[in-house]
Amino acid sequence: FTFHSVVPAPRTLLKSVRKLPPATWQVISPNGQIEMEKYWELPFDSTVREGQLTFAEWKSETRRELQEAISRRMVADVPVGVLLSGGLDSSLVVALLKQQGIRQLETFSIGFDAVNEEKGDEFEYSDLVAEHFETKHHRIPVATNQVLPNLEKCVAAMSEPMTSHDNIGFYLLSKKVSQHVKVVQSGQGADEIFGGYHWYPPLLESQNPLADYSKGFFDRNHDEMAQLLTPDWLREDTSTKFVAEHFKGPGAASAIDKALRLDTQVMLIEDPVKRVDNMTMAFGLEARVPFLDHQLVEWASQVPARYKIKEGGKYILKEVARELLPAQVIDRPKGYFPVPALKYLQGPYLKMVQDLLQQPAARNRGIFRDDYVGTLLQDPERHITPLKGSKLWQVALLEFWLQTHGI
């Protein structure tokens, strides 16, 4: 509830259950002996090559590395499509694939009904990219009344609780896409490795990285955790302690590099990547993520931070894109995968949440304080996290996941 539903490996929510950390192999022998080894470590220090290259050289090499990463992910026995949100990252994937001469490229976009005048789609931009590059485009509109019937199956597909509203978007998108192709490329990861989030710029000159990162990324502080959880469940401020220990690690000397390293090595794996992986594999759809090619990530970790976060973030990617994409796609406000029905819980969605939290299983578990939950239920729209998530949905999702999996 603090670290945006991230439970860093090897931890899980379940006692005595552990998950394998990234870049690690494990061998369990017949006699019960366990051997584990980390086979790769991301070298992260953007000051190592500071001043060695001009910006033009940084940009040129970034384009070359990205081009190779995308090319490697086109090797398949079946056609490969692209999940085209209309944002910079997926649009760049489309542009570079077309540069390679890929014909009849299939692209897919999804959108939801607006709620409270908040748009639920970015078709304006995905249509623009699809038309510009003449892709075989599939626009997938989803009415609000289609979301609710699919939520339980979406939650059942989650290996761990994931509170981001767009899980259902990726679930429904994958359902449709799997009817056309079996492999897709996706733009996940660019925000983390090229500095696209709003909490990065304040860290460039930060004198207190822990406080500034927490203020920008955490969904709630520990005082609010004490309001949320019953005394039996409240413990120390684990999230702040975890981030502090990660920031103290060797390398990544500057505040901005500490945050980028943490998000690349922990948050990225435990939130966006897991989300896309779980939802696509629910339909046997393989999602490939060129921005997470290990050679590209190693390169990006050396790019000076100022070239990443300048002018609102992902500056170097935007400059690469200026040679390939329409300006409207590059200079647009940063978007996200909006599912307004789960942000502004109303009508049947609010009733579903009330029912979940009033189930005997939820009451017997006793995780949440009744007064806090009551406050959320009275006016869900007033209680939104700094990352634009519904605090009520976060509470309900945990119970939804536990009940769906019979835990």
Side-chain angles (χ1 to χ4, degrees), residues 57-74:
E57 290 170 327
W58 284 111
K59 184 180 79 169
S60 175
E61 183 62 18
T62 297
R63 175 170 172 169
R64 191 188 70 79
E65 292 282 357
L66 180 56
Q67 183 84 65
E68 287 192 5
I70 291 170
S71 297
R72 280 193 281 268
R73 278 151 191 82
M74 286 304 290

Side-chain angles (χ1 to χ4, degrees), residues 160-338:
E160 296 179 277
M162 294 181 276
T163 60
S164 293
H165 304 148
D166 60 4
N167 279 287
I168 186 64
F170 280 111
Y171 179 85
L172 292 171
L173 178 61
S174 300
K175 185 177 183 179
K176 292 287 188 181
V177 172
S178 66
Q179 298 168 9
H180 298 272
V181 295
K182 292 301 179 186
V183 182
V184 287
Q185 294 210 35
S186 171
Q188 297 302 125
D191 283 308
E192 290 81 4
I193 69 168
F194 285 110
Y197 292 126
H198 70 270
W199 56 89
Y200 295 139
L203 286 162
L204 189 60
E205 304 295 336
S206 174
Q207 300 303 307
N208 191 339
L210 179 60
D212 290 339
Y213 178 86
S214 302
K215 181 180 178 182
F217 184 73
F218 282 6
D219 285 332
R220 48 181 63 72
N221 60 28
H222 201 59
D223 289 341
E224 189 174 348
M225 288 292 289
Q227 299 171 36
L228 167 66
L229 301 177
T230 58
D232 287 345
W233 287 93
L234 185 67
R235 296 292 185 271
E236 63 180 353
D237 188 354
T238 307
S239 295
T240 299
K241 182 180 178 182
F242 176 83
V243 174
E245 289 175 353
H246 201 280
F247 279 8
K248 288 177 184 176
S254 67
I256 180 63
D257 278 347
K258 292 179 190 296
L260 288 167
R261 181 179 65 179
L262 174 64
D263 286 354
T264 302
Q265 296 185 350
V266 179
M267 183 272 282
L268 174 62
I269 293 104
E270 302 293 353
D271 187 18
V273 170
K274 183 167 62 183
R275 190 187 324 157
V276 173
D277 184 58
N278 283 193
M279 296 305 121
T280 53
M281 289 310 297
F283 298 97
L285 179 66
E286 180 189 343
R288 299 178 176 180
V289 278
F291 283 101
L292 301 185
D293 179 274
H294 80 278
Q295 291 181 355
L296 176 61
V297 172
E298 287 176 351
W299 167 257
S301 73
Q302 299 179 58
V303 174
R306 68 179 187 277
Y307 293 151
K308 299 175 187 176
I309 65 170
K310 183 179 176 181
E311 296 184 10
K314 290 193 290 196
Y315 176 73
I316 194 166
L317 270 191
K318 291 175 182 175
E319 292 305 298
V320 168
R322 293 197 188 282
E323 302 167 359
L324 300 162
L325 293 174
Q328 302 98 300
V329 177
I330 301 168
D331 298 319
R332 52 167 290 192
K334 179 172 173 55
Y336 65 108
F337 209 150

